[in-house]
Amino acid sequence: MTTDNSPATEDDLPEQLRIRREKRASLIERGIEPYPVAVARTKSLKEVREKYTDLAVDVATGDIESLTGRIIFKRDTGKLCFATLREGDGTELQAMLSLDKVGQDQLDAWKSDIDLGDMVSVTGEIITSKRGELSILATSWALASKSLRPLPNDHKPMSEETRVRMRYVDLIVRPEARVAARMRPAVMRSLRETFNSESFIEVETPMLQVMHGGATARPFKTFSNAYDMDLYMRIAPELFLKRCVVGGIERVFEINRNFRNEGADSSHSPEFAMVESYMAYGDWRSIADVTRSLIQNAAMAVAGSHVVTHHDGRQADLGGTWKEISLYDAISEGVGEKVTALTSIDELKKYATKLGMKIDPKWVTGKLAEEIFEHVAQDKLVEPTFVMGYPVDTSPLVRAHRETPGVVEKWDLYVDGFELATGYSELIDPVIQRERLIEQAQLGAKGDLEAMQVDEDFLRAMEFGMPPMGGMGMGVDRLLMALTGLGIRETILFPLVKPEAD
RNA sequence: GGGCCUAUAGCUCAGUCGGUAGAGCAACGGACUUUUAAUCCGUGGGUCGACAGUUCGAGCCUGUCUGGGCCCA
């Protein structure tokens, strides 16, 4: 936010903001720097907490330290003042200022100049109070940064909107926000370690693409001035990772952002982190094993167990091998009739209508089958479940099932009722691939905004020979959701939010 | 895209039947040398999301718009 120092604006400020600006001005007038370049700091609060774990009540250690933190509570009792300091990871430590240690002037200055939210450096002895609280008893103190805005009530949760709009404040006041922010990098690290231990190589492929592909989704479109042409934000890295495999990076992965210009809700964000991986000489089964390892190792890394505890206390067991169901078996069970990939669209429409579903006339046969599946089975997909065998017409990059006609070797992994990951035996025949992409392009020409384009360079790469392989993709945000039970906007530090009205 | 809920002090929220706007925390002034959301006494702080309408009178009723949340397709 830009600062506006015009007098009229200053006068319009709410009382609490105006008072703090006045305090800042007063400090400067008295020659006290409210934003010093450096303050004394010999240890973190965490280091002090870890060093003194078993002190008795009312003990003076003789150890002098300089500690910093944000003031989160203040308690003044006249000639003795208490303050709770908090540092970034949430570690707190009490600071004490007494008249006999700091003198009248410094004590008065503390009372008048220091507000909740200010950052300070306190120098003094590490002690325990008469109530046994580990504390630093100040001999001197200095302002590290003056806060010009009051912190929200530390004891009431901020509204969901305020939390998202002011994540920086959320991180100061809400422990769950601090945990969530630190869980994402822990999961990322775990994913990379799992890949590394299996000799996968991490690559970075283009986010700005000349044509979009690798998934069926609406892309964000942008424009390059230098190249004078339209570009697309990538919807998936798939086609580039497969080029890597053609080039001999036989086990490859990428963890990076994808962008999809579609709806946003509690499980969809317009930009989301995705891990995608390909394994030469693997297939849908071997890549499913890799996926399970990635998830279970991530659970172990953040929860110390394959059983994770959600924020609401509910536990989810991600351990062991996971249930597998067949997509078409589940549909057949749901509609009470035998349904296969060869069942006609008219039959499917009849079943869907009987189920009370609204049918989009643009849906192809396979899409309708998937919709029926979601309708009849989604509630049953809470424990980790591989749904095996998808229709060919919605999966243009997957090879045909080795036994079942009309089906491709694709699984979706469901956890907590949402789709967490997908995996294929990849289509490696360039001639069939071209046919599939041409079909997609024809859908696109008919107005399907999610259809893929024909990527001639990708087809050329395939024509050089692509080894048999398994591939997978998994939403990192959704993995965090599965591990924590949080909504996607709580797993993303700064989710897209519309600007506040003036 | 459709439905429902929601917007009031810095923060979290009350606000009855349409009749001059309330609480807790926070802030300001004062007291207090062992507090743990300290306590006690006192004080201030509001364009009730925006615009229009109904009405003698609107935080409250109606409409439109904007932001946020939930559910559905």
Side-chain angles (χ1 to χ4, degrees):
Chain A
M1 191 174 291
T2 56
T3 51
D4 186 343
N5 288 319
S6 68
T9 306
E10 289 285 288
D11 288 345
D12 289 345
L13 281 177
E15 179 191 39
Q16 299 201 39
L17 272 60
R18 182 174 44 76
I19 287 167
R20 290 192 179 217
R21 275 164 173 74
E22 287 165 6
K23 286 186 179 183
R24 171 186 173 277
S26 162
L27 288 164
I28 292 170
E29 206 170 297
R30 286 176 284 147
I32 301 165
E33 176 53 71
Y35 303 102
V37 68
V39 291
R41 189 192 201 208
T42 56
K43 277 191 171 60
S44 68
L45 302 184
K46 187 171 192 165
E47 286 168 329
V48 171
R49 281 254 170 238
E50 284 170 352
K51 181 173 176 186
Y52 307 97
T53 50
D54 283 316
L55 290 187
V57 167
D58 203 12
V59 170
T61 64
D63 299 340
I64 306 297
E65 303 289 355
S66 293
L67 306 179
T68 58
R70 189 186 291 275
I71 293 175
I72 227 72
F73 299 122
K74 279 184 79 183
R75 299 174 290 277
D76 296 352
T77 68
K79 299 183 178 63
L80 180 63
C81 296
F82 301 88
T84 303
L85 304 183
R86 181 184 288 167
E87 66 189 7
D89 66 357
T91 305
E92 295 177 0
L93 194 79
Q94 177 169 269
M96 298 169 61
L97 291 91
S98 69
L99 176 63
D100 54 2
K101 295 285 185 199
V102 300
Q104 191 68 53
D105 289 351
Q106 282 300 295
L107 194 67
D108 288 346
W110 174 269
K111 287 186 193 176
S112 63
D113 295 342
I114 298 301
D115 293 306
L116 292 187
D118 288 354
M119 296 176 159
V120 293
S121 163
V122 176
T123 299
E125 185 180 1
I126 306 299
I127 65 161
T128 54
S129 72
K130 285 181 182 169
R131 294 290 175 87
E133 183 76 31
L134 185 64
S135 307
I136 181 166
L137 179 60
T139 50
S140 67
W141 61 274
L143 188 57
S145 187
K146 182 70 193 163
S147 168
L148 296 185
R149 288 177 181 268
L151 283 178
N153 186 340
D154 199 71
H155 317 292
K156 298 265 188 177
M158 290 194 297
S159 66
E160 206 153 333
E161 181 176 2
T162 312
R163 294 210 305 252
V164 171
R165 287 197 187 279
M166 298 198 285
R167 185 69 83 194
Y168 36 91
V169 180
D170 191 27
L171 289 167
I172 293 168
V173 300
R174 198 168 57 97
E176 295 80 3
R178 291 191 283 271
V179 169
R182 285 160 176 76
M183 188 172 288
R184 176 181 289 265
V187 165
M188 299 281 240
R189 198 178 315 122
S190 170
L191 293 173
R192 291 192 162 96
E193 282 167 3
T194 301
F195 278 125
N196 195 45
S197 70
E198 299 288 332
S199 302
F200 283 77
I201 290 171
E202 181 169 11
V203 298
E204 295 197 36
T205 65
M207 296 215 186
L208 285 174
Q209 301 184 342
V210 173
M211 55 177 50
H212 61 276
T216 50
R218 285 184 72 171
F220 285 95
K221 196 173 174 181
T222 185
F223 181 78
S224 165
N225 294 332
Y227 286 82
D228 189 28
M229 67 180 181
D230 290 333
L231 292 174
Y232 300 94
M233 307 290 285
R234 77 175 187 193
I235 55 175
E238 173 155 356
L239 302 186
F240 283 96
L241 293 177
K242 285 180 167 172
R243 287 169 167 94
C244 291
V245 179
V246 168
I249 308 176
E250 295 190 345
R251 293 183 171 206
V252 68
F253 75 101
E254 177 166 12
I255 303 178
N256 228 320
R257 223 75 65 83
N258 289 344
F259 306 86
R260 295 188 183 175
N261 204 347
E262 297 173 344
D265 58 33
S266 57
S267 65
H268 295 82
S269 171
E271 59 175 312
F272 61 100
M274 181 96 168
V275 49
E276 206 165 290
S277 176
Y278 296 85
M279 180 167 62
Y281 305 108
D283 65 3
W284 64 334
R285 296 223 164 249
S286 56
I287 207 71
D289 291 339
V290 170
T291 305
R292 189 158 41 80
S293 296
L294 289 168
I295 294 165
Q296 291 178 339
N297 291 349
M300 194 59 81
V302 300
S305 164
H306 288 165
V307 180
V308 296
T309 305
H310 288 183
H311 68 294
D312 58 5
R314 192 171 67 83
Q315 293 200 318
D317 188 353
L318 304 176
T321 55
W322 294 338
K323 195 171 74 177
E324 288 182 12
I325 63 174
S326 148
L327 181 91
Y328 280 101
D329 287 354
I331 295 171
S332 301
E333 196 182 315
V335 304
E337 303 271 355
K338 180 70 181 171
V339 175
T340 72
L342 304 179
T343 302
S344 74
I345 192 161
D346 291 334
E347 287 281 300
L348 290 175
K349 280 180 177 167
K350 205 172 68 191
Y351 299 140
T353 305
K354 206 191 293 179
L355 289 165
M357 294 172 56
K358 281 187 186 163
I359 300 166
D360 186 331
K362 290 200 290 282
W363 288 345
V364 295
T365 314
K367 176 70 176 168
L368 180 55
E370 289 178 19
E371 293 289 334
I372 294 172
F373 168 76
E374 297 222 332
H375 186 86
V376 300
Q378 189 131 26
D379 300 345
K380 300 170 196 156
L381 302 172
V382 175
E383 64 173 293
T385 303
F386 286 110
V387 179
M388 312 291 290
Y390 276 71
V392 63
D393 50 2
T394 57
S395 310
L397 301 169
V398 193
R399 74 176 305 144
H401 194 282
R402 53 198 93 182
E403 288 157 9
T404 314
V407 169
V408 292
E409 294 198 349
K410 166 186 170 178
W411 50 258
D412 271 3
L413 173 63
Y414 280 81
V415 177
D416 281 339
F418 60 82
E419 186 192 331
L420 173 59
T422 187
Y424 311 155
S425 296
E426 301 293 342
L427 175 59
I428 62 169
D429 181 332
V431 175
I432 296 176
Q433 184 67 82
R434 177 178 296 277
E435 290 167 5
R436 298 256 185 97
L437 287 181
I438 288 171
E439 284 167 19
Q440 283 287 309
Q442 285 165 348
L443 289 174
K446 278 193 273 182
D448 184 344
L449 297 166
E450 297 184 351
M452 293 183 201
Q453 299 171 303
V454 180
D455 185 334
E456 285 293 346
D457 179 69
F458 170 64
L459 290 169
R460 179 170 61 189
M462 285 188 76
E463 287 165 7
F464 278 93
M466 183 182 275
M469 63 176 157
M472 59 80 67
M474 173 164 63
V476 175
D477 317 279
R478 290 189 166 194
L479 175 56
L480 284 158
M481 290 165 63
L483 295 172
T484 62
L486 296 170
I488 198 166
R489 285 162 74 84
E490 297 288 343
T491 72
I492 297 174
L493 263 181
F494 300 104
L496 185 65
V497 59
K498 287 192 186 177
E500 292 163 88
D502 286 330

